Amino acid sequence: VGNFTLSFTSPGLTGTTSSAIALPPGAANQLTITPQPVGGAGSGNAFPTQPVIQVRDFAGNAVPVAGTVVTAAIITGGGTLGGTLTATTNALGVATFSNLSITGAAGARTLSFTAPGVTLAVSNSVSP
């Protein structure tokens, strides 16, 4: 992603350079998590660090797509995921969760973040 110029050369000929060529990101392909959720606040309490999800293309470039609904769920470890379980991307393709929590016994969980048409993101281990 960015602006690029091309140079053309050949032995015995005068070279030339193209004008700037803008390369935008590709189509939405995957989700990434930055920052990862951090638990430890106790059962039922909101994570001290809430996850932020970015829509990206196949090469990992941020894709500025607004209106994509991202859904959070527990995929390993059990318990109940509380708070607002969906967040919608802004114009930069970023979905920010604000009050996720886990209710249940101590222990590690893994969360998934899904959206239509893209590869899901899986969190690092998080505990209530």
Side-chain angles (χ1 to χ4, degrees):
V1 174
N3 291 319
F4 300 90
T5 58
L6 301 176
S7 295
F8 302 92
T9 61
S10 181
L13 298 175
T14 302
T16 189
T17 302
S18 72
S19 56
I21 300 168
L23 181 62
N29 174 271
Q30 61 183 312
L31 301 176
T32 59
I33 308 168
T34 306
Q36 290 278 334
V38 175
S43 179
N45 294 316
F47 302 151
T49 301
Q50 293 287 318
V52 176
I53 311 303
Q54 173 70 61
V55 178
R56 296 193 181 273
D57 67 10
F58 72 95
N61 299 303
V63 177
V65 57
T68 299
V69 177
V70 179
T71 303
I74 294 176
I75 57 173
T76 65
T80 302
L81 187 60
T84 305
L85 303 183
T86 61
T88 303
T89 58
N90 61 20
L92 299 175
V94 174
T96 302
F97 287 85
S98 62
N99 62 353
L100 292 179
S101 64
I102 295 173
T103 301
R109 276 51 168 213
T110 306
L111 306 180
S112 68
F113 297 89
T114 59
V118 295
T119 302
L120 65 87
V122 176
S123 75
N124 294 335
S125 179
V126 62
S127 298

